[in-house]
Amino acid sequence: STSMLVFPGPTGKPNGHFLRSLKTLAFRAGLNCGECVNKTGHSCATTAVCAEWGLHKFRKTFATLHNDAGVPTSTLRLWLGHSDLATTMQYLAAANLRSERTRGQVNSSFAFFGAGGAA
């Protein structure tokens, strides 16, 4: 069956074990921070429980990449299913500060002053 999901389960519905799979892959790849301890006392140094790995990072990466490519924030809001724009803006806040577009805008602003603009 076809699914609109990027990572569907075998039946095409959401994969309820995807987070566990992600954490296992990160652990096997040696990407855990080694400092997390979960509620049951398991350390991510020895078990696939690192808090640094979560599914929301995929949503934030999706939003950031499309924002950097020029997709309007209002369109991203719809794609992400957010009811208000403020939630979408929270996803993009840190990314916007680091983006090439923002860096270019800041450099352009300062170029004005360097070219004898008003002080």
Side-chain angles (χ1 to χ4, degrees):
S1 73
T2 59
S3 174
M4 291 181 58
L5 299 173
V6 176
F7 300 109
T11 63
K13 294 184 178 176
N15 181 346
H17 301 287
F18 193 64
L19 179 59
R20 186 179 328 152
S21 298
L22 173 67
K23 288 182 182 271
T24 299
L25 288 170
F27 177 71
R28 280 194 221 153
L31 299 174
N32 285 1
C33 72
E35 298 177 15
C36 298
V37 177
N38 71 2
K39 293 177 190 174
T40 60
H42 292 100
S43 166
C44 78
T46 58
T47 315
V49 297
C50 189
E52 293 294 316
W53 295 98
L55 299 179
H56 241 74
K57 286 188 179 191
F58 287 102
R59 288 176 60 85
K60 288 187 176 191
T61 300
F62 174 87
T64 300
L65 291 174
H66 283 87
N67 182 60
D68 289 349
V71 174
T73 309
S74 57
T75 301
L76 288 174
R77 180 190 68 80
L78 294 171
W79 288 356
L80 295 169
H82 295 154
S83 59
D84 69 46
L85 197 56
T87 304
T88 305
M89 294 304 293
Q90 287 175 344
Y91 271 60
L92 303 173
N96 281 338
L97 295 175
R98 295 187 308 260
S99 76
E100 286 294 325
R101 183 173 53 183
T102 300
R103 194 171 301 120
Q105 290 168 336
V106 170
N107 288 339
S108 293
S109 297
F110 282 105
F112 171 78
F113 292 110

